[in-house]
């Protein structure tokens, strides 16, 4: 049992360290008077999609803070693996077309996300999104 806890702590530590990497920082930001979260309606978006053929077929990490945005996007089926500015360019297009809202039913969120990222035959989707003024939504659906 202790080994499982140790492995979990180590994995969390590795995740935190990799999330804090400078390569994920978006440096090409449009200066505007918008407040955090105004662009997409959320300040945090983390997504993992697994298919029968591929673990982490799609992986997204987006964190928006007052003075910093971090972005990471990979889609193995499309051969995309980007960080920082390049990831943000691709995610901007996807996020603007996605239209997620905090009051959406979980099934509709999953459907919207899978359609946006063009993965219909998923095995598992794990989504964590923090909407402005709301608690974070944590959704995990397996087929």
């Amino acid at each position: 049992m202790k080994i499982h806890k140790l492995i979990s702590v180590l994995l969390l530590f590795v995740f935190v360290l990799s999330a804090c990497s400078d390569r994920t920082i978006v440096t090409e930001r449009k200066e505007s008077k918008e407040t955090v979260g105004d662009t997409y309606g959320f300040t945090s978006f983390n997504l993992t999609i697994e298919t029968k053929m591929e673990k982490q077929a799609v992986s997204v990490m987006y964190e928006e803070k007052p003075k910093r945005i971090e972005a990471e996007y990979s889609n193995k089926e499309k051969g995309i693996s980007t960080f920082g500015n390049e990831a943000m360019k691709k995610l901007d297009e996807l996020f603007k077309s996605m239209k997620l809202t905090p009051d959406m039913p979980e099934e509709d969120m999953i459907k919207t996300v899978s359609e946006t990222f063009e993965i219909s035959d998923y095995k598992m989707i794990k989504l964590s999104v923090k909407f402005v003024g709301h608690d974070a939504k944590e959704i995990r659906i397996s087929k």
Side-chain angles (χ1 to χ4, degrees), residues 94-113:
L94 295 166
F95 287 165
K96 284 182 178 175
S97 70
M98 201 164 36
K99 309 292 187 225
L100 289 181
T101 62
D103 57 343
M104 247 179 157
E106 289 183 0
E107 297 81 23
D108 291 345
M109 274 192 184
I110 294 299
K111 181 180 178 189
T112 300
V113 167

Side-chain angles (χ1 to χ4, degrees), residues 11 32 42 52 66 71 82 96 105 115 133 135:
L11 287 174
S32 69
F42 51 81
K52 292 176 184 171
T82 61
K96 284 182 178 175
E115 288 173 355
D135 291 334

